[in-house]
Amino acid sequence: DIQMTQSPSSLSASVGDRVTISCRASQSISSSLNWYQQKPGKAPKLLIYAASSLQSGVPSRFSGSGSGTDFTLTISSLQPEDFATYYCHQSYSIPPWTFGQGTKLEIK
Amino acid sequence: EVHLVESGGGLIQPGGSLRLSCAVSGFTVSSNYMSWVRQAPGKGLEWVSVIYSGGSTYYAASVKGRFTISRDNSKNTLYLQMNSLRAEDTAVYYCARERVPSDWGQGTLVTVSS
């Protein structure tokens, strides 16, 4: 199975900061990497699919990059509503598909 | 408008069985990849299973042989039959639409405890 490793596990930042979250796959997954945001008690929300495509309705301050094994989610200017947990998710080839362990973004 | 509504969760003893349902509206279950994803209390997301539009099914290693995903096209409903339940299966179970899910249910809590 493909393992997904996110870093950091947690992150403290301030409103207006630029934030980067990394995700590494245990083998190449081409561009089959997606990013989700989850707030407590809520279902995950899709932010980025296919490594760099912005889901409809998601603010343009969110962006994704990478291919192969290394991927990045960037939030260009943090807003109060962005404090949440973020997960990467690989949907490469045949399942099982897997999630990273999550990155909790907290207010500094 | 797309809606997914899970049901069937509850408290079950170890070794027991439970069937979760996911009733959908706004699209056809049989025309989409449909997945189950779970989240243990205070933990991260774990992909559980998927059924392809063509009927192929796949499972995470942690549930393979114990869980079965299926669908009823006439009821437009997705199911997850869970047998031989263990304490580590305790989680909120979400159903989700498509390979890269953008539509999710609200989740149903399964608690496995004696």
Side-chain angles (χ1 to χ4, degrees):
Chain A
D1 297 357
I2 299 173
Q3 308 302 316
M4 306 302 294
T5 303
Q6 284 181 238
S7 60
S9 296
S10 63
L11 176 60
S12 294
S14 301
V15 173
D17 283 354
R18 179 183 180 91
V19 166
T20 298
I21 298 170
S22 297
C23 182
R24 174 166 288 178
S26 59
Q27 66 185 72
S28 177
I29 57 170
S30 186
S31 296
S32 299
L33 191 283
N34 317 296
W35 290 98
Y36 288 89
Q37 176 194 69
Q38 189 182 33
K39 296 182 178 179
K42 300 294 186 181
K45 175 185 176 182
L46 179 63
L47 301 175
I48 301 287
Y49 63 94
S52 60
S53 296
L54 191 67
Q55 173 70 359
S56 176
V58 174
S60 59
R61 63 180 179 272
F62 291 93
S63 64
S65 63
S67 66
T69 60
D70 292 303
F71 302 88
T72 299
L73 173 70
T74 299
I75 309 172
S76 60
S77 179
L78 272 174
Q79 298 302 300
E81 60 269 29
D82 299 337
F83 292 95
T85 301
Y86 293 84
Y87 295 92
C88 63
H89 165 249
Q90 68 83 12
S91 54
Y92 180 72
S93 189
I94 297 170
W97 300 321
T98 44
F99 289 89
Q101 81 279 13
T103 296
K104 188 173 184 179
L105 179 53
E106 298 175 305
I107 301 173
K108 184 182 286 185
Chain B
E1 191 176 359
V2 169
H3 284 290
L4 299 87
V5 179
E6 301 96 337
S7 60
L11 176 63
I12 186 77
Q13 291 190 337
S17 297
L18 210 55
R19 189 179 80 159
L20 305 183
S21 300
C22 172
V24 315
S25 59
F27 68 97
T28 304
V29 161
S30 61
S31 299
N32 289 262
Y33 288 20
M34 294 296 300
S35 294
W36 289 97
V37 175
R38 68 183 180 183
Q39 186 168 37
K43 303 297 184 182
L45 300 169
E46 181 185 13
W47 180 87
V48 173
S49 182
V50 65
I51 182 167
Y52 283 9
S53 53
S56 298
T57 59
Y58 297 90
Y59 300 91
S62 57
V63 306
K64 196 169 186 178
R66 300 188 298 124
F67 289 13
T68 303
I69 190 171
S70 65
R71 67 190 182 211
D72 185 330
N73 297 341
S74 66
K75 296 182 178 179
N76 213 24
T77 299
L78 176 74
Y79 300 102
L80 186 68
Q81 177 67 43
M82 305 186 295
N83 299 331
S84 303
L85 283 162
R86 307 166 180 167
E88 54 266 34
D89 296 318
T90 293
V92 173
Y93 285 73
Y94 295 99
C95 62
R97 175 192 181 193
E98 274 306 341
R99 184 187 191 107
V100 182
S102 58
D103 298 307
W104 297 67
Q106 84 289 348
T108 187
L109 176 63
V110 173
T111 303
V112 184
S113 175
S114 54

